[in-house]
Amino acid sequence: MGKLVICDHPLIQHKLTFIRDVRTNTKDFREHVDEVATLMAYEITRDIPLETITVQTPVTETESKVISGRMLGLIPILRAGLGMLEGVLKLLPAAKVGHVGLFRDPDTLQPVEYYIKLPTDVQERELIVIDPMLATGGSAIAAITSLKKRGCTQIKMMNLIAAPEGVAAVQEAHPDVDIYVAALDDHLNEHGYIVPGLGDAGDRLYGTK
Ligand code: PRP
Ligand code: URA
């Protein structure tokens, strides 16, 4: 079973309150999402492997650590995942980016894939799938399934807010995937929205609706 990590750093929790607040305007919403994404990237990379190299300081030669192992790939789920992408890239500027376009059919709540474009060496990379919302889990499961079909094996999921139903669904469908969230909320309402949540992430990021 993949682990669920709640990134409960005070700065993340503080900013998440403004993201949830219905009075927060599009500009401030976008900025807070960007900042939380950067802070979450710090948490999600906590266990990436290091190796020791020798470096010459102005004073002496010493051994010091650098990141080793697999290169990273970031996979934002369009469109709301784009709102977190730049924030993650601030900490991981060398990561390559693949895009998966999915929307949730408002009636059936089933994900519909309309676009996918991935780095050519995606199979060799450790991937972080990025989406602010993990509601029923349908979109996350579809994106991860699509990546696995193309040979990807090392995948983590990063969400601002998750519902318990979505976490359980992803853990059942993809037990090898760890999930990092800023908050685990209470439940889904009858329209598939996370309660208390933040509303529609894409609409709030881009000022649509
Ligand atoms: C939202 C969100 C997730 C999905 C979560 O996207 O960004 O991708 O819903 O719901 P699920 O866990 O029940 O699948 P949406 O379909 O609204 O598309 P958008 O990002 O283009 O607005
Ligand atoms: N998608 C959103 O943007 N918000 C939710 O609460 C659920 C799915």
Side-chain angles (χ1 to χ4, degrees), residues 104 133 135 188 192-194 197-202:
R104 203 169 68 147
M133 308 307 276
L188 292 177
Y193 275 82
I194 299 176
L198 54 73
D200 188 300

Side-chain angles (χ1 to χ4, degrees), residues 77-80 102-104 131-139 200 202:
I77 300 181
L78 306 179
R79 97 197 124 133
L102 286 170
F103 69 86
R104 203 169 68 147
D131 195 327
M133 308 307 276
L134 180 61
T136 65
S139 303
D200 188 300

Side-chain angles (χ1 to χ4, degrees), residues 38 41 74 84-97:
T38 305
L74 307 178
M84 297 175 75
L85 175 65
E86 294 301 324
V88 178
L89 279 170
K90 274 182 206 142
L91 280 198
L92 304 171
K96 287 193 178 174
V97 179

